[in-house]
């Protein structure tokens, strides 16, 4: 009776054409929500984003964050042409906000020192609030929603799967072959070997596989491209979904956990996106843990530590019974924007363009 997504997949429709398409596809099966996301640290919940909502933290932490931020305003330091992410945080948010949230949370997610990361990936994902927002959010429970995802849409029933299903339903029979795995690509001969189909000739190829995976299927590759492939880094997300025999386990949409004592960096509540994702009398959650792709994982031990963490922060009660669970590992979860990423991608794309290949989307574009 439970329906789980591959973690939280929410629709933030900012592009007018995309918005028109999706609203048309899911007409009557799409609800709009105002974001209700929080951070749990130092034993308390504070509103997201942290940099604009320190109210509720211990007073010493609030003063630390506020003083550091105001120093960046009144004594700004230049960033330089290509700063690392740690320097960016210190210059934009100050030492307090960086120490209490930006550094521990992002090190937990990216699994490497922040000095190794560029700032190319941030964009809308790391908003800088105004002085008034920071000051107001330090002394009161600020309800203004800062950031690109202040609201979102999600299907009323069927989970996020209804969107690709609606796209597939528009196809003419036989127009697109699904569940046909590409086994190899010959870039010189412009042929692809497809499971259950055989060899296919193409004029143009559009790839949406993770770029690293596509390159592992493709031959021949010049030495420069093979070297660039070795520099593509990503993290794996281990997504544990659980169903609980209690309604309304939380009123929140999702929560960030920056502290090391919790193995997960985020937990969300699917049944707060749609009550129809669980049977009556039950709730469901998704929990996300980041690991390096080559790291050996003891899933039973990780599961125990996750459940212990959820109980210690009060989200689960001792009396709660887990009536359903599903691990969904997402091998290529987050592309790592280290200083090798963009030169490597530029080298790879230049070669693929010469071979009539477009590699697009979040993972094909290595974004």
């Amino acid at each position: 009776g439970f329906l789980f997504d591959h973690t939280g997949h929410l629709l933030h429709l900012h592009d007018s054409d995309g918005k028109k398409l999706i609203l048309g596809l899911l007409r009557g099966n799409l609800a709009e929500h105002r974001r209700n996301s929080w951070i749990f640290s130092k034993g308390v919940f504070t509103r997201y984003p942290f940099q604009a909502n320190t109210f509720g933290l211990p007073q010493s932490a609030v003063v630390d964050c506020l003083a550091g931020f105001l120093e960046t305003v009144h004594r700004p330091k230049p960033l330089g042409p290509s700063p690392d992410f740690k320097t960016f945080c210190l210059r934009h948010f100050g030492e307090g906000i960086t120490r209490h949230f930006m550094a521990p949370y992002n090190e937990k997610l990216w699994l490497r020192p922040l000095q190794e990361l560029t700032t190319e990936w941030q964009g809308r994902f790391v908003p800088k609030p105004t002085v008034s927002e920071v000051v107001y959010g330090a002394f009161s429970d600020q309800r203004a929603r800062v950031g690109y995802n202040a609201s979102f849409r999600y299907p009323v029933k069927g989970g996020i799967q209804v969107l690709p299903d609606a796209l597939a339903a528009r196809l003419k029979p036989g127009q697109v072959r699904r569940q046909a795995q590409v086994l190899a690509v010959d870039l010189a001969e412009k042929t692809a070997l497809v499971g259950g189909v055989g060899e296919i000739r193409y004029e143009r190829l559009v790839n949406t596989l993770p770029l690293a995976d596509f390159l592992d299927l493709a031959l021949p590759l010049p030495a420069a491209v093979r070297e660039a492939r070795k520099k593509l880094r990503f993290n794996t997300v281990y997504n544990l979904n659980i169903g609980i025999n209690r309604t309304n386990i939380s009123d929140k949409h999702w929560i960030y956990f920056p502290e090391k004592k919790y193995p997960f960096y985020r937990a969300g509540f699917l049944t707060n996106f749609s009550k129809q994702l669980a049977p009556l009398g039950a709730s469901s959650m998704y929990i996300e843990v980041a690991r390096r792709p080559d790291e050996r994982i003891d899933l039973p031990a990780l599961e125990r530590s996750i459940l212990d963490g959820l109980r210690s922060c009060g989200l689960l009660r001792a009396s709660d019974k887990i009536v359903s669970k599903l691990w969904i590992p997402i091998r290529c979860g987050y592309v790592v924007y280290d200083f090798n990423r963009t030169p490597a991608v530029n080298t790879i794309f230049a070669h693929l363009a010469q071979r009539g290949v477009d590699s697009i989307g979040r993972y094909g574009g290595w974004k």
Side-chain angles (χ1 to χ4, degrees), residues 174-194:
Q175 185 179 33
V176 171
R177 186 183 293 267
R178 295 184 288 161
Q179 297 184 7
Q181 184 178 359
V182 177
L183 304 173
V185 175
D186 188 324
L187 296 174
E189 297 295 328
K190 290 194 171 183
T191 60
L193 182 63
V194 181

Side-chain angles (χ1 to χ4, degrees), residues 10-62:
L10 313 175
L11 297 173
H12 309 291
L13 306 179
H14 301 295
D15 175 81
S16 59
D17 289 337
K19 182 177 181 179
K20 181 179 178 182
L21 171 68
I22 291 173
L23 292 181
L25 286 169
L26 300 183
R27 186 178 291 112
N29 188 25
L30 207 55
E32 188 162 10
H33 303 267
R34 291 193 73 199
R35 182 191 71 209
N36 185 20
S37 57
W38 295 71
I39 293 133
F40 187 79
S41 63
K42 306 184 192 310
V44 297
F45 287 102
T46 55
R47 291 187 184 274
Y48 170 88
F50 183 93
Q51 56 267 34
N53 297 286
T54 53
F55 178 75
L57 290 171
Q59 188 175 17
S60 59
V62 176

Side-chain angles (χ1 to χ4, degrees), residues 109-141:
L109 176 63
W110 299 108
L111 305 173
R112 47 199 25 91
L114 300 188
Q115 293 90 328
E116 295 180 11
L117 301 181
T118 72
T119 58
E120 298 166 282
W121 58 275
Q122 299 162 201
R124 60 186 183 173
F125 301 112
V126 189
K128 181 172 184 176
T130 64
V131 173
S132 60
E133 286 171 336
V134 173
V135 173
Y136 188 74
F139 293 103
S140 65
D141 183 16

Side-chain angles (χ1 to χ4, degrees), residues 61-81:
V62 176
V63 171
D64 203 17
C65 292
L66 189 57
F69 183 83
L70 292 176
E71 187 172 354
T72 70
V73 175
H74 297 293
R75 297 195 190 98
K77 296 178 182 177
L79 258 180

